[in-house]
């Protein structure tokens, strides 16, 4: 056989062997997240970049990022779990974790956490991911809620914008003063929708008055003197026309971006959202800031601020996932990759949860980060969270709505709410 024939035979042999061996099958991992659905949040392009980088590093894994609006996530995920076809990974809010874990569709994650990972997370972050006595979530971003305020309006009202109100007395004065700047200016907005999200955002103000929905023994105490005082404070904001109780969270953000609102309660994600809502984008950062929750009289003397409710973004893994190891690998990548987490922070304001990453100067030198970390130390896990919190929160907010919208007596409204919660929990 001459050389040319020998070479041709060799090529044909290689080709036949290659065609006979099937291509390696990829593991497909579906990732449902509202950060891929929020046009103004700044997270879409980062998740596209994360998907691309991870797939280059792991050519045997195919990530499919699917937008799922925040408001639809708990119901849609519950439906998909019940139907047996949930996403491999889902972004969830910490307030939903107990309810979702109780359904039995989430994979316990304790065995996935390495010692190195545990050492690099704040203990509070690990604790927030626990439900039903097990670890069911990996915290993506530690998010306390803070007081988000307009610096320009605060200064126009006669206050130092570098010294936002730190007590409830100062806070009430600033709210009134900003509301007096014009008929189209509101001093404050609170979420008043009849849902568990709004009820959860009520917690910092309940705590400032010493109120809570439940006590540590599980007794419903919303209608005690402290609870009545807290709801009367909310009602006074409406009565004095400092607040419009008919605005939803997205409308609240829009009027804040239009510089027609003094104060609202938000987390670090708000930076990316406001940049998307205001045409000045990053230049608008100069007109607003975050500050710790003003301190009420019921807060202990050794605590410098009011307590914040956690609003952490978390990642959960489906128990029915066919590719759990690949899915966990992507979950850990999202919280660990220095480049992706840095870009995510720059675009959205959401900081990494790993302690080692926070040593980067981009975080250490940013006053925005310092304010968030200050409040993170004083987050408080609401005693009301549990598998039935969704319904309990609706009852709480229905009572508040009856007070602020229909003028019902606070005590009678809360007494009725306690009666309904008791019935709900006995079913």
């Amino acid at each position: 056989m001459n050389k040319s024939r020998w070479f041709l035979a060799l090529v044909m042999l290689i080709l036949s062997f290659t065609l006979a061996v099937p291509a390696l099958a990829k593991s497909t991992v579906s990732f449902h997240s509202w950060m891929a659905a929020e046009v103004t949040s700044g997270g879409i392009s980062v998740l596209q970049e994360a998907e691309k980088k991870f797939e280059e590093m792991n050519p045997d894994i195919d990530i499919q990022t699917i937008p799922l609006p925040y408001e639809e996530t708990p119901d849609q995920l519950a439906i998909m779990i019940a139907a047996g076809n949930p996403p491999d990974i889902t972004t969830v809010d910490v307030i939903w974790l107990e309810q979702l874990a109780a359904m039995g569709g989430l994979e316990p994650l304790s065995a996935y956490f390495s010692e190195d990972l545990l050492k690099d997370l704040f203990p509070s972050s690990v604790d927030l991911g626990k439900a039903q006595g097990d670890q069911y979530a990996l915290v993506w971003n530690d998010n306390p809620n803070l007081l988000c305020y307009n610096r320009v309006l605060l200064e126009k009202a006669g206050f130092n914008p570098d010294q936002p109100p730190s007590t409830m007395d100062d806070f009430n004065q600033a709210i009134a003063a900003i509301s007096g700047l014009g008929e189209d200016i509101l001093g404050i907005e609170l979420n008043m929708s009849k849902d568990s999200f709004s009820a959860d955002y009520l917690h910092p103000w309940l705590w400032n008055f010493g109120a809570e929905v439940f006590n540590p023994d599980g007794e419903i105490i919303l209608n005690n003197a402290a609870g009545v005082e807290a709801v009367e404070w909310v009602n006074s904001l409406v009565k004095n026309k400092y607040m419009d109780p008919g605005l939803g969270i997205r409308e609240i953000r829009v009027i804040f971006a239009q510089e027609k609102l003094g104060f609202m309660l938000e987390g670090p994600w708000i930076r990316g959202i406001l940049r998307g809502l205001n045409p000045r984008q990053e230049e608008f950062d100069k007109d607003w800031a975050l500050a710790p929750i003003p301190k009420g009289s019921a807060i202990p003397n050794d605590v410098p601020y009011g307590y914040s409710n956690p609003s952490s973004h978390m990642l959960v893994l489906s128990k029915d996932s066919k590719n759990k190891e690949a899915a966990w690998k992507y979950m850990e990548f999202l919280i660990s990759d220095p480049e992706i987490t840095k870009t995510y922070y720059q675009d959205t304001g959401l900081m990494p949860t790993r302690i080692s990453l926070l040593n980067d100067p981009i975080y250490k030198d940013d006053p925005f980060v310092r304010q968030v970390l200050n409040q993170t130390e004083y987050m408080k896990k609401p005693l009301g969270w549990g598998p039935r919190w969704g319904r309990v929160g609706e009852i709480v907010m229905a009572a508040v709505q009856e007070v602020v919208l229909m003028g019902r007596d606070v005590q009678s409204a809360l007494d009725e709410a306690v009666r309904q919660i008791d019935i709900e929990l006995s079913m």
Side-chain angles (χ1 to χ4, degrees):
M1 182 181 295
N2 60 37
K3 288 184 179 181
S4 61
R5 288 184 178 181
W6 177 86
F7 180 74
L8 180 60
L10 179 61
V11 170
M12 293 299 294
L13 180 63
I14 292 172
L15 284 174
S16 63
F17 178 77
T18 301
L19 292 173
V21 177
L24 291 175
K26 284 190 175 186
S27 297
T28 300
V29 173
S30 57
F31 175 39
H32 284 48
S33 178
W34 66 77
M35 292 306 293
E38 298 276 358
V39 176
T40 61
S41 69
I44 297 176
S45 61
V46 185
L47 290 183
Q48 291 171 341
E49 183 180 335
E51 180 180 321
K52 180 181 178 182
K53 182 175 182 179
F54 181 82
E55 289 178 344
E56 288 174 351
M57 295 169 60
N58 302 273
D60 59 327
I61 301 175
D62 177 29
I63 302 297
Q64 296 182 352
T65 305
I66 301 166
L68 179 61
Y70 177 90
E71 294 89 344
E72 298 177 18
T73 297
D75 289 341
Q76 287 297 317
L77 183 55
I79 291 170
M80 288 187 283
I81 288 174
N85 62 342
D88 295 293
I89 308 168
T90 311
T91 306
V92 301
D93 192 313
V94 63
I95 64 172
W96 308 326
L97 188 61
E98 287 278 356
Q99 301 165 60
L100 293 170
M103 292 187 65
L106 302 184
E107 173 79 358
L109 299 178
S110 298
Y112 294 83
F113 279 71
S114 66
E115 284 298 319
D116 287 342
L117 177 59
L118 283 172
K119 290 177 183 177
D120 204 22
L121 298 173
F122 292 107
S124 58
S125 301
V126 179
D127 183 60
L128 283 176
K130 293 180 179 178
Q132 306 288 300
D134 212 332
Q135 189 79 39
Y136 280 105
L138 175 66
V139 173
W140 189 4
N141 310 105
D142 290 297
N143 298 326
N145 275 303
L146 299 99
L147 189 68
C148 183
Y149 70 97
N150 185 286
R151 292 172 52 86
V152 175
L153 294 179
L154 190 62
E155 187 170 25
K156 284 182 178 179
F159 296 85
N160 185 342
D162 295 322
Q163 296 179 359
S166 59
T167 68
M168 284 298 287
D169 287 341
D170 293 340
F171 187 39
N172 287 327
Q173 291 178 26
I175 291 170
I178 290 175
S179 297
L181 294 175
E183 291 186 2
D184 61 340
I185 304 295
L186 294 171
I188 185 173
E189 274 299 328
L190 307 179
N191 300 313
M192 289 288 106
S193 302
K194 194 176 74 173
D195 52 37
S196 60
F197 174 82
S198 298
D200 187 51
Y201 271 55
L202 190 65
H203 276 111
W205 313 118
L206 291 176
W207 293 328
N208 266 343
F209 290 92
E212 180 68 273
V213 180
F214 297 91
N215 68 13
D217 296 324
E219 298 171 325
I220 312 165
I221 59 169
L222 179 64
N223 61 337
N224 65 13
V228 170
E229 187 179 6
V231 177
E232 284 180 341
W233 174 74
V234 174
N235 193 35
S236 72
L237 299 175
V238 178
K239 279 185 173 181
N240 290 316
K241 298 185 179 179
Y242 301 158
M243 181 178 92
D244 181 348
L247 299 181
I249 180 63
R250 298 189 188 282
E251 295 167 297
I252 292 170
R253 291 167 175 171
V254 167
I255 64 168
F256 189 91
Q258 294 171 343
E259 309 214 54
K260 295 180 179 180
L261 175 62
F263 299 103
M264 62 180 179
L265 203 63
E266 283 285 1
W269 56 78
I270 194 61
R271 182 157 72 177
I273 292 174
L274 291 179
R275 286 176 179 176
L277 291 174
N278 189 286
R280 291 167 53 210
Q281 298 180 331
E282 292 185 24
E283 277 297 308
F284 183 54
D285 290 355
K286 299 174 183 177
D287 286 6
W288 66 274
L290 295 179
I293 305 293
K295 181 177 178 177
S297 59
I299 304 298
N301 291 333
D302 60 343
V303 176
Y305 320 118
Y307 287 115
S308 172
N309 59 315
S311 290
S312 300
H313 294 175
M314 318 184 92
L315 301 172
V316 295
L317 175 60
S318 168
K319 182 179 284 188
D320 291 334
S321 170
K322 302 295 190 297
N323 298 299
K324 292 176 184 176
E325 293 298 330
W328 172 258
K329 195 171 186 179
Y330 189 56
M331 290 165 67
E332 193 167 4
F333 169 82
L334 284 174
I335 73 161
S336 304
D337 186 84
E339 293 178 1
I340 295 300
T341 52
K342 187 181 296 185
T343 305
Y344 196 65
Y345 161 70
Q346 290 171 321
D347 286 7
T348 68
L350 293 165
M351 301 175 300
T353 192
R354 298 197 70 146
I355 299 170
S356 59
L357 295 176
L358 294 171
N359 291 322
D360 190 297
I362 193 173
Y363 309 112
K364 292 176 68 175
D365 298 340
D366 191 338
F368 179 90
V369 174
R370 288 197 296 273
Q371 289 287 29
V372 174
L373 293 179
N374 285 341
Q375 186 69 73
T376 300
E377 289 187 57
Y378 299 98
M379 284 197 298
K380 189 175 179 181
K381 198 170 183 178
L383 296 174
W385 284 358
R388 309 292 285 278
W389 173 245
R391 178 63 184 133
V392 170
E394 290 176 1
I395 294 172
V396 171
M397 291 312 300
V400 176
Q401 282 187 356
E402 288 184 3
V403 171
V404 302
L405 297 177
M406 295 183 282
R408 185 171 181 180
D409 172 70
V410 176
Q411 185 69 66
S412 65
L414 295 186
D415 287 345
E416 175 61 20
V418 168
R419 188 186 72 83
Q420 289 186 29
I421 293 171
D422 190 47
I423 294 172
E424 179 68 29
L425 296 181
S426 66
M427 294 172 64

